[in-house]
Amino acid sequence: MKTNWGAAFQIAAVYVGTVVGAGFATGREIVEFFSRFGLFGLIGVFMAGYILTYMGAKLMRIAAAIGARSYEEMNVHLFGKFFGGIINVLMLFMLLGVCAVMLSGAGAVFEEQLGLTKSLGIFITIALSLAVMVVGLKGVFAVNTFVVPMMILFSLILFFLSVKLPGFIEQVVFIPYAEDGWKAVIGPFSYTALNLSLAQAVLVPVAAEIKDDNTVKWGGILGGIALTLILLSSHLTLIMLPGFETFEIPMAVVMKQLAAGLYWIFVLIVYGEIFTSVIGNIFGLERQIQKYIRVPSLLVVSLLFVICYFISLIDYGTLLSVLYPVFGYISLIFIVLLWMKPVHVDK
C-alpha cells in the first residue's frame, strides 16, 4: 500500500500542533511532569516519547478504520455505549478546561513577555481563532504546517546552546529532592494519556478524512518522533535555567538569556503553538456539540469562548498545575483501553 507522504507530514504537523499547546510550548508542562525530577524526568521523557509515537499512530489508525467522525464515536468504540457516554461528558469538561488553560497561556505571553495586559492577549487570541474557524479544517492544517517546523527548529537551537553551558552533564544526571517524587514514575503515563485523550478531538476527524491506513500510521509515527525531539530538547534546555519552576514561560526566559536576537521570533512561535491548540480544542468541541444542537457554528464557538474566557482569568501556572495532573489521571483509563484495542484494517 502506497503512503501519501505529503498527507502524512500534514497529519504529523497537526498531531504536534495539537499536543504542543500552551504548557508544552511555554515549558510549564514539561517542568511540571519532567524537568523538576532531574534524571528521573529524563527517563520519563523517553518513555513519554515512545508512548506518544506508538499510541498516537494507533489512535489514528483505529479512527480511520472505523470511520469515526468525532472523539465521541471513538470513545464509544473503546469503552462501549454506556461508559463511552460518561467519558464523553468528562471529555467535554476537560476540553473546556484545557482550552481555558491555552487562553490563559496566551494571556501570560502578552503579560510576561510583552508587558501588555492578560485580557488583551486573550481577546486577540479569541478574535484570531474565530477567523481561522471560519476557514475550517484547512485553516487548522495551514497554521500547523507553518508553526510546527519552526517550533522544532527553535527547540533544537536552544538545546545546542544549552549543551555548551558549564555543568551541563552534572545537571542532566542530577536528582533533586521532590516531596511528590512518586509522580516521576506515573508522570510519563498521565502526561501522554492526557495529551492523547485530548488530541482525539482533532486527530480522530483528521484521520477519518485521510482514511488511508499507511498514511495515517506514518503521520502518527512522524508526529510522535517530532514530539519526542521537542520534549527531549526542551527538558535538556530547561534544567540549565536556575529557578525554572518560578517562571510562567520558562522557555522564553531561556531564549532571552541564550539567544536574545531570536527572542521575539521565539515568543511569536510560542504564541503560534498556543493558538493552534486553542483552534484544535474549539474545533473538536464545536463538532461534538453540533451533534446534539443544530445551531450556527459561529454561535457555538462564541459561546465556548465566553465560558473559556472566564475560566482563563485564573492564574495560568495555577490553572495548569491543578487541572492537568487531574485530567491526566482520568485519561489513564483511556490509554489502557486504547493499548488493548486491536486495529482492524480492511485490506
Side-chain angles (χ1 to χ4, degrees):
M1 194 182 281
K2 279 191 78 177
T3 303
N4 180 342
W5 289 104
F9 278 107
Q10 275 197 323
I11 291 169
V14 170
Y15 184 16
V16 175
T18 307
V19 174
V20 183
F24 201 125
T26 58
R28 271 302 310 184
E29 205 175 288
I30 298 165
V31 165
E32 190 62 39
F33 284 92
F34 304 104
S35 300
R36 64 194 185 93
F37 302 117
L39 180 62
F40 291 129
L42 177 63
I43 296 164
V45 163
F46 284 111
M47 286 172 68
Y50 172 75
I51 298 166
L52 283 169
T53 306
Y54 174 71
M55 293 298 226
K58 187 173 185 181
L59 169 75
M60 288 190 273
R61 289 182 70 202
I62 292 173
I66 65 169
R69 301 301 301 170
S70 70
Y71 69 80
E72 184 192 43
E73 289 174 32
M74 185 69 178
N75 283 331
V76 168
H77 178 72
L78 290 176
F79 296 90
K81 202 157 191 177
F82 177 72
F83 290 107
I86 296 168
I87 294 294
N88 283 324
V89 172
L90 278 171
M91 276 281 297
L92 199 69
F93 287 108
M94 283 166 67
L95 280 167
L96 271 172
V98 170
C99 201
V101 171
M102 302 300 168
L103 284 177
S104 188
V109 170
F110 276 72
E111 193 173 41
E112 193 179 273
Q113 306 304 317
L114 306 177
L116 299 167
T117 64
K118 181 178 177 176
S119 291
L120 179 68
I122 292 170
F123 282 126
I124 288 173
T125 308
I126 291 171
L128 289 171
S129 300
L130 286 169
V132 174
M133 289 298 291
V134 170
V135 183
L137 202 56
K138 283 191 176 71
V140 180
F141 272 133
V143 177
N144 278 303
T145 309
F146 169 73
V147 174
V148 169
M150 294 297 284
M151 189 71 206
I152 296 168
L153 176 67
F154 274 80
S155 296
L156 292 173
I157 289 169
L158 282 177
F159 166 65
F160 287 121
L161 291 170
S162 298
V163 170
K164 294 176 183 176
L165 293 173
F168 176 75
I169 299 298
E170 289 84 344
Q171 277 302 112
V172 171
V173 296
F174 178 64
I175 303 170
Y177 171 74
E179 274 183 33
D180 55 352
W182 59 273
K183 287 184 180 175
V185 178
I186 203 165
F189 300 99
S190 59
Y191 171 80
T192 49
L194 166 75
N195 278 297
L196 278 171
S197 63
L198 292 169
Q200 280 192 92
V202 180
L203 299 183
V204 168
V206 164
E209 207 153 288
I210 301 290
K211 292 184 184 73
D212 178 59
D213 179 65
N214 239 28
T215 302
V216 166
K217 181 178 83 175
W218 278 104
I221 292 169
L222 291 169
I225 292 167
L227 284 167
T228 309
L229 260 179
I230 300 171
L231 198 55
L232 180 63
S233 56
S234 298
H235 166 75
L236 294 172
T237 299
L238 287 165
I239 55 170
M240 297 308 292
L241 173 67
F244 56 75
E245 286 187 62
T246 60
F247 299 103
E248 295 274 30
I249 306 172
M251 288 300 281
V253 177
V254 176
M255 183 58 89
K256 205 171 203 173
Q257 290 178 2
L258 299 182
L262 299 170
Y263 171 72
W264 291 111
I265 306 168
F266 183 71
V267 169
L268 195 67
I269 297 301
V270 168
Y271 178 75
E273 279 296 357
I274 295 171
F275 180 59
T276 57
S277 290
V278 171
I279 299 165
N281 284 320
I282 289 289
F283 174 77
L285 278 166
E286 186 265 336
R287 274 214 167 181
Q288 191 59 30
I289 291 163
Q290 284 286 7
K291 291 191 78 176
Y292 301 105
I293 318 162
R294 300 303 294 170
V295 287
S297 288
L298 210 57
L299 186 66
V300 176
V301 170
S302 303
L303 188 65
L304 288 170
F305 273 128
V306 169
I307 298 165
C308 291
Y309 170 73
F310 285 109
I311 307 170
S312 73
L313 294 175
I314 302 165
D315 177 63
Y316 167 59
T318 309
L319 208 56
L320 193 140
S321 58
V322 173
L323 286 183
Y324 271 36
V326 173
F327 290 166
Y329 301 139
I330 293 168
S331 304
L332 281 171
I333 313 157
F334 167 80
I335 204 98
V336 169
L337 283 167
L338 178 64
W339 174 67
M340 290 166 67
K341 206 82 175 175
V343 184
H344 296 296
V345 182
D346 293 328
K347 296 292 177 193

